[in-house]
Amino acid sequence: MRVELRNLCKRWGNVVGVDNISLEIKDSEFVALLGPSGCGKTTTLLMIAGIYKPTSGEILFDGRIVNHIPPKDRNIGMVFQSYALYPHMTVFENMAYPLKLQKVPKDEQRRRVQHVADMMGIGHLLDRKPGQLSGGQQQRVALGRALVKDPELLLFDEPLSNLDARLRLTMRGEIKRRQMELGITSIYVTHDQVEAMTMADRIAVIKDGKLQAYDTPDELYERPRTLFIAGFIGNPPMNLINGVEVVRDGEEYLARHQAFCLRVPAERGKHVAAKGEVILGIRPEDISLADDGQDGMRGEVYVVEPLGRDDLVNVELPGNTFIHFLADPALRLKPGTPVALCFNTEKVQFFDPRTERSLLWH
Amino acid sequence: MEAVVREQPVEVVARRRSLRVSLEALTFMSPTMLLVTLFFFVPVLLLLWISLTNLSSNTFGNPLCVGGVRDVCESLGIRAGGVEFVGLSNYRRLFSDRFFPKILRNTLFYVFSTLTLFNVGLALVLALLTTHIERRAGFLFRAIWLLPRITPSVIYIMMWKRIAADAPFGILNQFLTPVGVEPRFWLREAPWLFVIVTNGFVGASFGMLIFSSAIESIPRDYIMAAKVDGATTLQIIRTIIIPLIKWPLLFVTTYQTLSLLASFEYILLLTNGGPGLYRTEVWSLTAYHRALQTYFGNNQWGYGAAWGFVLVVIGIIFSIIYLRVFRFNELVQEPKIDAL
């Protein structure tokens, strides 16, 4: 099913929850609504579900306006952060509930519930009450209940936030796999950018009720259009360095800061030259230690955070500037060690500090 | 001098500790225990004792001065009067009373119709209505519905008597005459209706408060999930809300059964058990009438106490049945705090 939001707004008195969001979701696409808590992403989802009525704007399913269609007639499945399994019903009764409401015959209810339960690996738990299940099992029941009525649209409201880290990883893969197999259009609300990056075909980044960007994960990562996206997408987050000035030096462009002076490729530098002070962005993985004899920017290790595969190293540059980079743990960097750093200038980003927009991508 | 330190045997220390723990527990429980003893157990025992005597206006004296104690009382100058220990004769008289079956039927009818129609039924409807409208409006409605509860009983019933008064008076008559209804003395025509309504309007507010707070504490996610699953509002109420407020429902049912069994002040003020012979007389009102308000000024305290004591027994039997049937034990959780 195709879903389209047109100038969607939700206000409660003077409080703006969702501010003029427009986007289109293709049939069988997996879209994540990503943003910090309180940004309006769940409100948007609940409007798509029909629980909240939009203050203005339209919601279209397959080109048909559904603003006034109640949730029960929208043929959607929804998975909640709390799972919202009815505590007084068994797993079977929970999963059969949507079918019972549709007056599906008893034996067909049993057949369909059993089929979905087996697919989700919970076929042996049908007689239990939700309180007797682990978090992961409850999650599967919740997903099963959403799937059992063959919805045309699946809505997820932070479904993995209550699971432990390991289980979250497993369920992440499982949800993505099911969605691909069944080809059901899905909208997934999350504040976890790793979840959004790994699962979604496209990500809608929302901040303060406004749509910041709507693009594929790669595009958001490689070409962040705003300072917010640059800081929000990617883990560990991008280094953002204030007070950088880019000047033309013959055929070359130089990015100058009190702590360093970098040569920037012309196709990036030309957009930024003579724009005054800008913000330079560089991801930790695009910074490396300078080879011997190579001229790098000098600094001193401030903190080392071992991440296992890499060490996340915080380096203090002159002028009280701190930047993070990823180093090989075998180097055994210690606080206080003097280091020389090299930027991969092919990957630097530039932002206008006033508009907070990218100077490279529009 | 050299201090002698003697090791105490372990079991003595342990016994002392457990004694101290139970003393501490008793200390904390003692205010409640004192109140329950003073205001429940002692009156029940006194009631039982009085019900076994012929204490009345004619025989007035200290009910403890019966049998051999009479002489002791008289020598101490305590008035013994004509009080006699009469065994179970008050109870024999009660169960063979010509109006006993009628009063029993009246009581059961009054308790169960007020309970089902109002104290639980209307309470549930009001709670559902006020939680499904705008929050402030629901709050205001509930606050207004509570007003009769804080109105003095006498004033509340006087207003109802004016509503149901005989022609040419009566607010009901004023409203119904223009639409072609013959004016009449409504309170005499339908005494039960007014007895049940006056009690029910006040009684419903208790359940309304308990149910609406229970409904509001149901996580919103369940309701949203049910909507998405395809349920209508009525289906949500029937399949989600009512099962989730099962315990408050059972609690209100139990509590209100017991309080209705014992309540009589509105009936006393409204119909005083009439019109006619025992038309709306209920058990607790009979106890009151026998003990404290007879036609000839002869207050039969002993006989009235027998009615009262049987009501206590009926109440205890109902409590036990409810406790068993509704398995209240399951409601009571082990405290999360470790032993004292």
Side-chain angles (χ1 to χ4, degrees):
Chain A
M1 187 163 74
R2 275 184 302 116
V3 177
E4 199 186 335
L5 310 181
R6 281 192 198 149
N7 309 105
L8 199 61
C9 293
K10 180 71 185 175
R11 283 187 295 271
W12 293 273
N14 290 329
V15 183
V16 179
V18 172
D19 190 2
N20 204 19
I21 288 185
S22 297
L23 56 84
E24 222 182 315
I25 297 162
K26 288 183 273 196
D27 185 36
S28 71
E29 196 175 17
F30 193 122
V31 166
L33 304 183
L34 175 66
S37 27
C39 74
K41 54 197 192 304
T42 298
T43 308
T44 308
L45 195 76
L46 291 176
M47 283 196 280
I48 297 171
I51 307 257
Y52 288 168
K53 292 240 179 317
T55 309
S56 63
E58 282 148 9
I59 300 166
L60 294 92
F61 287 180
D62 279 335
R64 202 163 51 98
I65 294 177
V66 296
N67 282 31
H68 297 289
I69 296 181
K72 69 185 183 68
D73 299 325
R74 294 195 183 195
N75 198 17
I76 44 181
M78 189 158 172
V79 182
F80 293 82
Q81 180 177 356
S82 66
Y83 317 133
L85 298 176
Y86 313 122
H88 57 291
M89 299 184 194
T90 63
V91 169
F92 175 82
E93 287 163 341
N94 261 284
M95 290 177 69
Y97 186 67
L99 302 178
K100 206 172 111 189
L101 294 171
Q102 289 175 5
K103 303 208 165 30
V104 172
K106 276 262 157 57
D107 42 331
E108 198 190 330
Q109 282 182 24
R110 188 150 283 283
R111 198 176 47 75
R112 279 167 70 176
V113 169
Q114 191 68 50
H115 172 73
V116 173
D118 288 342
M119 180 173 86
M120 300 301 305
I122 46 168
H124 58 295
L125 301 172
L126 290 179
D127 294 327
R128 303 252 189 110
K129 288 274 178 74
Q132 298 166 302
L133 303 180
S134 70
Q137 290 168 333
Q138 290 186 29
Q139 176 65 72
R140 280 166 217 264
V141 177
L143 186 54
R145 184 177 66 186
L147 287 174
V148 79
K149 61 179 197 176
D150 289 331
E152 289 179 272
L153 176 64
L154 269 176
L155 305 176
F156 297 89
D157 187 9
E158 311 227 8
L160 303 183
S161 302
N162 288 1
L163 297 178
D164 64 67
R166 211 188 146 72
L167 201 53
R168 200 177 305 169
L169 227 71
T170 322
M171 285 306 295
R172 206 161 78 189
E174 202 159 316
I175 291 177
K176 188 172 181 173
R177 177 82 204 178
R178 295 276 169 259
Q179 195 271 339
M180 264 166 55
E181 281 171 1
L182 301 168
I184 305 171
T185 313
S186 299
I187 305 174
Y188 189 104
V189 161
T190 179
H191 64 264
D192 180 346
Q193 50 93 18
V194 179
E195 256 173 43
M197 294 285 281
T198 51
M199 298 171 81
D201 298 324
R202 280 197 284 174
I203 300 175
V205 183
I206 298 173
K207 187 196 172 201
D208 300 331
K210 290 193 180 68
L211 186 65
Q212 295 275 313
Y214 182 41
D215 229 322
T216 60
D218 282 353
E219 195 69 14
L220 291 174
Y221 192 78
E222 296 291 341
R223 285 188 263 278
R225 273 149 219 266
T226 67
L227 199 59
F228 173 73
I229 297 167
F232 197 62
I233 303 271
N235 186 25
M238 185 185 280
N239 293 295
L240 297 166
I241 303 164
N242 282 307
V244 176
E245 211 169 338
V246 178
V247 291
R248 188 168 181 167
D249 178 23
E251 286 302 295
E252 295 182 315
Y253 291 86
L254 294 174
R256 288 198 308 219
H257 180 261
Q258 66 180 118
F260 57 82
C261 182
L262 282 176
R263 223 175 284 284
V264 183
E267 76 268 17
R268 297 203 174 204
K270 68 183 179 207
H271 298 288
V272 197
K275 287 270 168 72
E277 286 203 343
V278 296
I279 297 170
L280 180 146
I282 179 111
R283 294 199 181 276
E285 59 267 38
D286 296 324
I287 303 175
S288 53
L289 284 176
D291 297 329
D292 289 341
Q294 198 183 350
D295 196 22
M297 59 182 72
R298 311 227 156 254
E300 194 177 88
V301 174
Y302 188 67
V303 176
V304 180
E305 295 167 65
L307 301 177
R309 198 183 59 187
D310 301 299
D311 280 353
L312 179 62
V313 184
N314 193 356
V315 175
E316 184 177 7
L317 301 176
N320 215 13
T321 304
F322 290 87
I323 60 173
H324 283 98
F325 84 105
L326 291 170
D328 186 347
L331 294 171
R332 297 185 181 284
L333 293 174
K334 291 267 175 308
T337 316
V339 287
L341 301 178
C342 238
F343 283 11
N344 176 1
T345 51
E346 299 287 328
K347 297 285 182 78
V348 290
Q349 308 285 341
F350 292 102
F351 301 93
D352 185 325
R354 273 184 311 105
T355 62
E356 302 200 338
R357 300 198 146 270
S358 173
L359 292 164
L360 305 179
W361 330 108
H362 300 293
Chain B
M1 274 227 341
E2 211 176 299
V4 182
V5 181
R6 223 179 274 145
E7 283 283 315
Q8 293 200 346
V10 181
E11 61 268 28
V12 172
V13 175
R15 209 179 307 142
R16 276 198 193 150
R17 180 168 299 157
S18 82
L19 185 72
R20 213 196 53 196
V21 166
S22 29
L23 270 178
E24 262 174 33
L26 269 177
T27 315
F28 279 109
M29 279 157 61
S30 57
T32 315
M33 280 168 61
L34 189 74
L35 288 174
V36 170
T37 311
L38 208 62
F39 293 105
F40 185 75
F41 288 112
V42 171
V44 165
L45 290 178
L46 281 175
L47 186 73
L48 175 63
W49 177 251
I50 292 170
S51 75
L52 300 175
T53 68
N54 66 351
L55 186 68
S56 70
S57 307
N58 295 339
T59 62
F60 182 69
N62 191 319
L64 294 176
C65 301
V66 294
V69 193
R70 172 183 296 270
D71 298 337
V72 183
C73 283
E74 269 165 8
S75 67
L76 290 170
I78 298 172
R79 183 191 161 111
V83 188
E84 298 284 354
F85 182 79
V86 294
L88 293 175
S89 74
N90 280 332
Y91 291 90
R92 273 194 291 277
R93 192 176 149 204
L94 187 162
F95 287 113
S96 55
D97 192 305
R98 184 151 77 89
F99 292 104
F100 166 74
K102 183 163 178 74
I103 290 167
L104 183 65
R105 267 202 311 275
N106 280 351
T107 307
L108 293 177
F109 174 73
Y110 162 69
V111 169
F112 288 106
S113 40
T114 314
L115 185 74
T116 49
L117 295 176
F118 287 91
N119 290 15
V120 174
L122 182 67
L124 185 60
V125 171
L126 291 177
L128 285 167
L129 282 176
T130 56
T131 48
H132 279 76
I133 57 176
E134 209 258 323
R135 218 181 138 78
R136 264 172 306 176
F139 182 81
L140 186 72
F141 183 88
R142 289 199 293 268
I144 290 172
W145 198 276
L146 272 177
L147 287 180
R149 194 175 273 279
I150 54 169
T151 308
S153 315
V154 176
I155 292 172
Y156 173 70
I157 292 300
M158 277 169 74
M159 296 202 306
W160 274 103
K161 281 182 125 166
R162 292 293 185 279
I163 289 172
D166 198 2
F169 309 107
I171 296 169
L172 215 51
N173 284 330
Q174 310 301 318
F175 278 104
L176 291 178
T177 315
V179 293
V181 181
E182 192 86 348
R184 62 192 82 176
F185 191 1
W186 289 101
L187 189 57
R188 183 182 291 158
E189 300 260 320
W192 272 120
L193 177 73
F194 288 94
V195 164
I196 290 170
V197 164
T198 48
N199 277 283
F201 274 18
V202 175
S205 57
F206 178 80
M208 174 186 75
L209 288 187
I210 303 243
F211 297 152
S212 46
S213 66
I215 291 169
E216 290 200 336
S217 67
I218 295 175
R220 291 277 302 145
D221 280 4
Y222 292 146
I223 311 295
M224 290 196 224
K227 280 187 185 168
V228 170
D229 281 344
T232 61
T233 305
L234 279 179
Q235 284 169 325
I236 290 174
I237 290 171
R238 196 165 48 79
T239 58
I240 310 289
I241 293 179
I242 301 234
L244 288 180
I245 60 165
K246 185 176 143 207
W247 290 117
L249 270 169
L250 298 182
F251 165 70
V252 170
T253 305
T254 308
Y255 184 86
Q256 293 287 359
T257 306
L258 299 178
S259 68
L260 282 169
L261 272 174
S263 77
F264 67 90
E265 74 272 27
Y266 289 161
I267 310 179
L268 171 74
L269 293 165
L270 191 69
T271 64
N272 199 12
L277 270 181
Y278 302 109
R279 181 95 178 263
T280 56
E281 180 96 351
V282 294
W283 198 288
S284 47
L285 187 58
T286 310
Y288 170 80
H289 278 152
R290 297 289 179 241
L292 302 162
Q293 196 195 48
T294 53
Y295 292 114
F296 314 110
N298 180 17
N299 293 330
Q300 300 166 309
W301 293 304
Y303 187 42
W307 283 88
F309 190 76
V310 173
L311 192 62
V312 171
V313 173
I314 293 174
I316 290 172
I317 291 171
F318 266 112
S319 315
I320 292 171
I321 292 173
Y322 279 131
L323 288 173
R324 283 284 158 83
V325 172
F326 296 156
R327 294 194 300 255
F328 269 79
N329 287 346
E330 289 178 14
L331 270 183
V332 186
Q333 286 190 340
E334 287 280 317
K336 296 270 192 300
I337 308 165
D338 287 332
L340 287 164

